[in-house]
Amino acid sequence: MSASAIFILDLKGKVLISRNYMGNMDMNEVDHFMPIMMRMEEDAESLPLVTHGSAHFLWIKHRNLYLVAMTKKNANAALVYSFLYKMVEVFKEYFKELEEESIRDNFVTVYELMDEVMDFGFPQTTDSKILQEYITQQGHKLDVGAPRPPATVTNAVSWRSEGIKYRKNEVFMDVIESVNLLVSATGSVLRSEIVGSIKLKVVLSGMPELRLGLNDKVLFEITGREKCKTVELEDVKFHQCVRLSRFENDRTISFIPPDGESELMSYRLNTTVSGTHTLTHTQTHTLSHTHTYACTHLLCPMLTFFLLSSPLFSVCQVKPLIWIESVIEKFSHSRVEIKVKARSQFKSRSTANNVAIMVPVPSDADSPKFKTSTGSCKYLPEKSVVQWNIKSFPGGKEYMMRAHFGLPSVESTELEGRRPITVNFEIPYFTVSGIQVRYLKIIEKSGYEALPWVRYITQSGGETHTIRPGKGDLNDALLPLGSL
C-alpha cells in the first residue's frame, strides 16, 4: 500500500495542487498538517511523519514547497519517500527549478504528470525521459493529432524506448570503488569496507540484450574453480532492468540496458585489514584509481532495483594505502608546531597522483612557516587548515612536513575540538577488491557488431587522522624546521 493522496503546499500550508488517488480519505484532512508542523517548530522538533487521527502525513520540503503524501493504512514509508523525491526530479526536468511559481505557471502539466506517475496509490512511470515523449508543455498542435503514449509506458521494458539508432554502437562500463577506513588513536583499524558500483554509458541501437560475468565466488564454486580469485559482495542492489530470475539460477547478470548513462548495480564489500600500525589519527583514505579503457567482447544483462542480503563474492584484505602519522606541539602563548609523516603502503610500480593532505590548525594561528621534503604547502585561513600537495607519490616512499604557527598571547577561553587530518589521492591502474569483469557480451537481433569498453576506478571514501598532542617519535623522524 502506498499513498491515498498527494499534495503540494506552499510555506503557509495552502494547497497549490493535489491528486486524490484512492478516494478513501477526506481531502480536508491536509488542513491539519501545517498546524502540526508549526507546533513541532515551536518545540524544536522535526519528524518526517506526522499523524492526525487516522491520517498519516509523510512529507519532504523542497525550496518553498511541501510535498505531502497522505495515507491511513500501513503504507511502505520507504517507497513513499522515494516516490516524493522522484517527483521532485521529474518536475525539475520539466521546469528547470521546482518552486511555487513554477507550479502555478504549469498547472496543466503538473496535473498530467501526477496522473501518470501514480495510479491508485502505487507508483507507475517515473522516468522523465519516457514522460517527456508524450507529456509536453507546448500543448497540442493543429496539424498533428494528440500525442500518443509511447510503447514504453505499457511495455515490459519501460526504461528503454524503441527505434533507437546510432551509427557506431558501443558500451562503456566503469567499475567504481570507494575505500573507507577507520583507524583508532592507537593505530588499529576499526572498520574497513569497499563501496562499489558499476555504471554504464550505452550507445546501442535497437533493443540489445547484454550479459555481464564477474568473478562471482558462488559461480566459481559451482563450476569447480574455487582456486580462482573471487570477491564476496554484500548489500547488492540492481537496476530495475536486471533479470533477477536469471541471476538466481546461473549467476548471470542479464539485462536490456537503458539508453545513455545509468547505474547497473551497487554493492558493499566488508574487508579484513592486515597489520596494525602506531598512529594517532582516525584515518580516511581518498583514493581514486583509474584504469585505461580496454576493448573486450562482453554480454550484458537486464537491470532491476533489488537488494541482496546474501554475499556474492570472497573477502579480501585491505590496509591503508597512504599512512599518516602526526604530532602537534603547542607552546603556551607563543607558537604551535605540527609534524606530519606520510608513507605510501602500495607497491612501487604504482603511483598516487594529486595527493592532498589537509592538516587542521588552531583557528587563531598566524604567521605560517612550512618545510617539506617534497611537494608544497599553503595555509587556508578560511578553513583553518594547511594543505600539503604532492603531485606524485610513488609506492614505498615516505615524505615529511613540518609547520610552524604563531599564537596570540591571550588564549581563548573556548576549547577547540580536535579535528582530523584528511587525505585525498588517486592511484591509476590499481584495483583494491579484485573484482573483475570476465565478459560483457552484446546480443541484438539485427546482428550488428558493438564494442564494449571496461575501466576500473578506485576512489577514496575519505581518510582522516587524529592529531596526537605532545612530543613523540616523530620528533626523531622529522628534521628540524630549518634543516628541511
Side-chain angles (χ1 to χ4, degrees):
M1 178 58 64
S2 185
S4 296
I6 299 291
F7 300 87
I8 300 179
L9 313 178
D10 62 15
L11 291 178
K12 296 181 180 180
K14 182 180 178 181
V15 178
L16 300 178
I17 197 167
S18 64
R19 181 70 168 83
N20 188 350
Y21 291 104
M22 300 184 66
N24 62 344
M25 297 188 69
D26 184 359
M27 296 291 282
N28 293 326
E29 286 285 346
V30 76
D31 294 339
H32 300 287
F33 172 74
M34 191 52 65
I36 296 174
M37 297 294 292
M38 294 176 67
R39 286 198 300 271
M40 287 198 308
E41 185 176 353
E42 292 175 357
D43 298 336
E45 295 181 351
S46 181
L47 300 175
L49 186 148
V50 296
T51 302
H52 179 267
S54 61
H56 304 278
F57 303 101
L58 297 87
W59 62 276
I60 64 172
K61 185 178 180 181
H62 182 80
R63 292 185 177 245
N64 57 354
L65 296 173
Y66 287 97
L67 280 77
V68 183
M70 183 173 68
T71 181
K72 71 174 183 179
K73 296 188 177 182
N74 187 19
N76 184 335
L79 175 63
V80 173
Y81 284 116
S82 178
F83 173 77
L84 292 177
Y85 282 110
K86 190 64 180 179
M87 281 186 65
V88 172
E89 293 181 15
V90 170
F91 289 148
K92 289 173 72 174
E93 285 288 332
Y94 272 83
F95 315 133
K96 303 302 181 186
E97 294 294 338
L98 177 59
E99 52 190 23
E100 181 179 344
E101 184 179 354
S102 59
I103 295 295
R104 293 185 182 278
D105 291 343
N106 298 277
F107 270 123
V108 174
T109 304
V110 173
Y111 269 119
E112 289 187 47
L113 289 171
M114 294 180 72
D115 281 339
E116 294 297 333
V117 296
M118 180 170 278
D119 184 27
F120 201 68
F122 293 94
Q124 301 295 312
T125 303
T126 57
D127 190 328
S128 58
K129 292 182 180 179
I130 303 302
L131 291 169
Q132 286 173 348
E133 292 186 21
Y134 65 101
I135 297 180
T136 65
Q137 293 175 293
Q138 291 79 14
H140 305 307
K141 296 181 180 179
L142 293 177
D143 56 340
V144 180
R148 300 182 61 185
T152 49
V153 176
T154 55
N155 192 0
V157 188
S158 60
W159 52 87
R160 184 178 180 90
S161 301
E162 295 181 354
I164 298 175
K165 293 184 179 179
Y166 291 103
R167 294 184 61 185
K168 187 177 182 180
N169 295 285
E170 296 177 305
V171 177
F172 300 90
M173 174 176 288
D174 285 344
V175 181
I176 302 173
E177 292 185 339
S178 296
V179 180
N180 300 306
L181 293 173
L182 179 63
V183 181
S184 69
T186 60
S188 59
V189 179
L190 303 178
R191 180 176 63 87
S192 171
E193 70 172 2
I194 298 172
V195 179
S197 64
I198 297 180
K199 297 186 177 181
L200 298 174
K201 181 179 180 182
V202 177
V203 187
L204 296 174
S205 304
M207 297 289 283
E209 179 183 348
L210 299 145
R211 294 177 189 166
L212 172 65
L214 303 173
N215 52 336
D216 185 340
K217 179 183 179 182
V218 176
L219 176 62
F220 279 34
E221 289 177 349
I222 294 173
T223 56
R225 291 179 290 173
E226 295 92 339
K227 295 182 180 180
C228 297
K229 185 177 180 181
T230 61
V231 291
E232 185 172 0
L233 307 184
E234 298 177 351
D235 299 337
V236 180
K237 183 177 73 173
F238 288 112
H239 187 278
Q240 69 184 72
C241 64
V242 173
R243 295 190 179 101
L244 295 180
S245 57
R246 177 74 181 272
F247 178 79
E248 291 172 355
N249 289 334
D250 58 13
R251 316 299 289 183
T252 299
I253 304 175
S254 175
F255 60 97
I256 297 176
D259 189 44
E261 297 181 1
S262 62
E263 181 176 282
L264 177 64
M265 62 178 287
S266 62
Y267 58 89
R268 181 175 59 86
L269 187 148
N270 276 324
T271 61
T272 56
V273 182
S274 57
T276 57
H277 303 264
T278 302
L279 181 61
T280 57
H281 300 303
T282 301
Q283 175 170 357
T284 319
H285 283 281
T286 303
L287 119 89
S288 179
H289 117 97
T290 334
H291 246 165
T292 53
Y293 277 114
C295 180
T296 50
H297 285 286
L298 312 172
L299 189 60
C300 211
M302 278 185 84
L303 314 173
T304 310
F305 279 118
F306 185 74
L307 189 64
L308 296 179
S309 58
S310 60
L312 288 183
F313 305 83
S314 75
V315 176
C316 67
Q317 291 187 340
V318 173
K319 63 181 179 180
L321 298 176
I322 294 184
W323 192 268
I324 302 295
E325 296 182 56
S326 67
V327 170
I328 182 170
E329 293 184 62
K330 196 170 184 179
F331 301 88
S332 180
H333 309 299
S334 59
R335 70 187 190 277
V336 61
E337 290 188 5
I338 300 174
K339 308 163 190 180
V340 179
K341 178 168 65 176
R343 181 172 70 253
S344 57
Q345 300 193 130
F346 46 87
K347 294 183 179 180
S348 57
R349 64 171 177 262
S350 298
T351 300
N353 297 328
N354 303 318
V355 179
I357 303 173
M358 310 292 284
V359 183
V361 300
S363 58
D364 54 357
D366 56 19
S367 307
K369 296 179 182 178
F370 311 110
K371 288 292 181 180
T372 66
S373 57
T374 190
S376 62
C377 287
K378 62 179 178 179
Y379 176 46
L380 305 177
E382 68 278 5
K383 297 181 179 179
S384 298
V385 298
V386 173
Q387 182 171 323
W388 181 15
N389 296 314
I390 303 174
K391 188 174 182 180
S392 179
F393 200 144
K397 295 292 184 178
E398 182 176 290
Y399 298 118
M400 294 171 283
M401 182 273 287
R402 188 165 184 167
H404 176 283
F405 287 87
L407 292 177
S409 57
V410 179
E411 288 188 354
S412 173
T413 57
E414 297 182 2
L415 295 176
E416 285 195 46
R418 188 178 301 170
R419 294 179 294 150
I421 292 176
T422 62
V423 186
N424 298 303
F425 56 91
E426 301 176 345
I427 303 180
Y429 316 110
F430 185 82
T431 57
V432 178
S433 70
I435 187 172
Q436 296 176 356
V437 176
R438 296 171 44 240
Y439 61 86
L440 175 59
K441 298 180 181 178
I442 304 167
I443 300 175
E444 213 280 330
K445 60 183 180 181
S446 63
Y448 62 70
E449 292 188 1
L451 295 176
W453 304 85
V454 180
R455 70 174 177 178
Y456 299 89
I457 303 172
T458 304
Q459 300 174 336
S460 86
E463 174 170 351
T464 58
H465 303 254
T466 305
I467 297 179
R468 178 174 57 197
K471 295 184 178 181
D473 296 337
L474 284 181
N475 287 327
D476 300 328
L478 285 171
L479 296 175
L481 189 64
S483 302
L484 285 175

